Amino acid sequence: HMQQMWEDSQRRLFEELGQYQGADMQFANAVESAGIATSPLAGGSGAFDLTDSQAHGRVTQPRVERYAQVVRKLNDARVAAARPQIDVLAGLEKATLDSSSELKSKQIGQVWKLLAHYTSPKESRNIAAGACAYLEETFVEHVDRIVAQYPHDANVGGIPSTNRKIRGYLNVQFGRLGRVPAFLEMFNDEAIWAHMYTLYRCGFKQELLKYALDMEDIITDSDPGFVAHLKGFCDQAAAIRSDIPVTAASLEDPYKAALYKVLGRGNVSKKAAAEVVQTTEDYLWSSLAVVRDAEQIAAATGHPRNTLESLQALMLKYGPGHFDPNGNNPLLYFRVLLLCGLFENAVDFLL
């Protein structure tokens, strides 16, 4: 029964990815011989002509046709220039989103966006950096969406600054709980550690540093050495040794614990930040962030550096059942594998 469920999910997934409806091997070979895969420099409308007579009148999915348009533009650009200026991955993402508004189309669009981060000149040499940048970008989109969806609760004003937007997002989050949790460290009705963690979760490192410097007198009451540690961390200077004693009482605020963990401020247990790190995306971001900044964190804590290989091994050990126990969202584990740089495993999983 489980095998049949998986095969049904796999079939639906391939349909979402744009597989030809009812295509047989003879048709697939005909398409390949037409130059789709074997002739990347072929130009003109015949380079990827999905209405060719060889298709035997079959109708392809709209997404396939949109993908074909992207490939055709790339081929034309290659003919016209030695180094074509065309963003293929952005084109494929747009083609996916334009073809359907369903959740799976959005998930596939996110895959193209992730791959674009891996090919970015800034991040292409570091899997963890590319994955973190993607997870930070999508979290910013999430924050913007929540603030826009609940404008009254967010109360950010007309053109909000970054800090007002973060404050508005937290207003909505705490408003859903009916109150601000008593264990959060507050100042003037602001959850300062929650604010700082959310800034860093969005990738706003310099905004985090400025906020901490502005609030230094308040933060010092909680942790006298934190701002100095943060400044050294953000400036990528020699990390300040941070073997401070961490107790349950000193980390009662889970946002403080979560921020300490990704900044190498003491030895923080996973349990201490469990209230904050609840989603798969949050978990992967925090895990990848300590891999991305492994040298600084290792120097600060005195503990062995975190490696991408150890995270990859853990994700493979967990397997798809850990993330998708019902087997109805195969794209979730596929994206987990991609985020960890397990590209071959990700493709094998779909096949």
Side-chain angles (χ1 to χ4, degrees), residues 29-101:
N29 291 335
V31 170
E32 182 176 0
S33 66
I36 295 174
T38 60
S39 184
L41 295 178
S45 60
F48 203 166
D49 192 349
L50 296 175
T51 60
D52 190 273
S53 60
Q54 295 178 6
H56 304 296
R58 288 182 174 86
V59 179
T60 61
Q61 287 192 359
R63 179 178 300 148
V64 178
E65 297 181 12
R66 288 187 170 92
Y67 285 165
Q69 291 172 9
V70 175
V71 176
R72 189 179 298 122
K73 288 179 181 178
L74 174 63
N75 288 344
D76 291 343
R78 283 175 167 173
V79 171
R83 301 183 64 182
Q85 300 298 314
I86 180 171
D87 192 336
V88 177
L89 292 172
L92 292 172
E93 179 189 355
K94 185 176 185 302
T96 301
L97 298 178
D98 287 348
S99 63
S100 173
S101 60

Side-chain angles (χ1 to χ4, degrees), residues 263-333:
L263 294 177
R265 184 74 173 154
N267 186 21
V268 181
S269 68
K270 292 180 181 178
K271 185 178 179 180
E275 290 288 333
V276 176
V277 183
Q278 294 185 340
T279 68
T280 299
E281 288 81 4
D282 287 338
Y283 171 75
L284 287 172
W285 174 79
S286 62
S287 300
L288 288 160
V290 298
V291 171
R292 177 191 61 189
D293 303 317
E295 296 297 338
Q296 284 181 285
I297 292 175
T301 61
H303 297 122
R305 62 188 296 273
N306 295 276
T307 66
L308 182 62
E309 290 75 17
S310 62
L311 179 60
Q312 290 173 334
L314 183 61
M315 294 302 101
L316 291 173
K317 180 180 178 181
Y318 281 158
H322 179 83
F323 299 94
D324 182 28
N326 295 323
N328 56 11
N329 187 9
L331 277 175
L332 178 58
Y333 189 58

Side-chain angles (χ1 to χ4, degrees), residues 48-293:
F48 203 166
D49 192 349
L50 296 175
T51 60
D52 190 273
S53 60
Q54 295 178 6
H56 304 296
R58 288 182 174 86
V59 179
T60 61
Q61 287 192 359
R63 179 178 300 148
V64 178
E65 297 181 12
R66 288 187 170 92
Y67 285 165
Q69 291 172 9
V70 175
V71 176
R72 189 179 298 122
K73 288 179 181 178
L74 174 63
N75 288 344
D76 291 343
R78 283 175 167 173
V79 171
R83 301 183 64 182
Q85 300 298 314
I86 180 171
D87 192 336
V88 177
L89 292 172
L92 292 172
E93 179 189 355
K94 185 176 185 302
T96 301
L97 298 178
D98 287 348
S99 63
S100 173
S101 60
E102 294 181 358
L103 175 60
K104 285 185 178 179
S105 290
K106 293 178 180 178
Q107 291 177 318
I108 296 169
Q110 289 295 320
V111 169
W112 294 123
K113 181 180 289 188
L114 170 59
L115 294 176
H117 276 286
Y118 285 145
T119 58
S120 166
K122 183 179 179 180
E123 300 148 0
S124 61
R125 295 185 180 181
N126 189 322
I127 293 294
C132 280
Y134 161 78
L135 290 168
E136 289 161 0
E137 179 182 322
T138 55
F139 190 74
V140 170
E141 293 171 354
H142 167 69
V143 168
D144 288 343
R145 187 165 52 251
I146 292 297
V147 169
Q149 189 174 353
Y150 301 96
H152 178 73
D153 295 332
N155 190 27
V156 298
I159 305 178
S161 64
T162 297
N163 281 312
R164 284 186 64 84
K165 194 177 293 184
I166 297 299
R167 194 173 297 119
Y169 170 75
L170 292 173
N171 286 342
V172 175
Q173 296 299 97
F174 298 146
R176 289 175 173 177
L177 298 175
R179 59 182 175 79
V180 176
F183 48 74
L184 298 186
E185 294 186 26
M186 305 289 294
F187 174 74
N188 286 346
D189 294 326
E190 181 156 309
I192 55 175
W193 292 101
H195 194 107
M196 289 192 290
Y197 170 81
T198 307
L199 281 170
Y200 197 57
R201 177 67 179 85
C202 289
F204 298 145
K205 186 182 291 187
Q206 292 307 314
E207 289 85 346
L208 165 61
L209 179 58
K210 185 178 185 307
Y211 179 90
L213 290 170
D214 291 342
M215 301 285 285
E216 185 168 10
D217 290 344
I218 308 303
I219 294 172
T220 297
D221 292 339
S222 176
D223 181 351
F226 177 78
V227 175
H229 174 90
L230 177 63
K231 189 175 188 307
F233 194 90
C234 290
D235 292 344
Q236 294 187 331
I240 298 171
R241 187 59 182 268
S242 188
D243 52 352
I244 60 172
V246 173
T247 64
S250 66
L251 289 183
E252 186 179 6
D253 187 329
Y255 287 96
K256 184 179 182 180
L259 188 60
Y260 272 30
K261 186 174 181 62
V262 292
L263 294 177
R265 184 74 173 154
N267 186 21
V268 181
S269 68
K270 292 180 181 178
K271 185 178 179 180
E275 290 288 333
V276 176
V277 183
Q278 294 185 340
T279 68
T280 299
E281 288 81 4
D282 287 338
Y283 171 75
L284 287 172
W285 174 79
S286 62
S287 300
L288 288 160
V290 298
V291 171
R292 177 191 61 189
D293 303 317

